Amino acid sequence: MGIVRLIRRAWTDERMDDLNAKVDKLDERVDRLDARVGRLEVEMRAGFVRIDQRLDRLIFILFGLFATVLAAFLTHL
């Protein structure tokens, strides 16, 4: 008896249908997960842009503060 016949006997049409249904459900779950990951990626990128903008402002403020203190110090020499 060949391997194909052994597999065919073990895997009835009902079992194959059940497996197909499970694979379809798994595929739907993977699609939903992929969509969620995509949305999280968009949110994370937006968050990193906001952080980058805030850091740019902070650096600008710190340089301004340093320049002001340095100017005040140099004028009192």
Side-chain angles (χ1 to χ4, degrees), residues 8 20 23 26-27 32 54 58 74:
R8 186 68 189 135
N20 283 335
V23 169
L26 183 60
D27 189 46
R32 286 193 306 267
R54 288 177 182 165
L58 179 62
L74 292 175

Side-chain angles (χ1 to χ4, degrees), residues 55-66:
L55 285 174
D56 287 347
R57 281 188 229 131
L58 179 62
I59 290 170
F60 181 75
I61 290 168
L62 289 175
F63 275 126
L65 181 60
F66 176 74

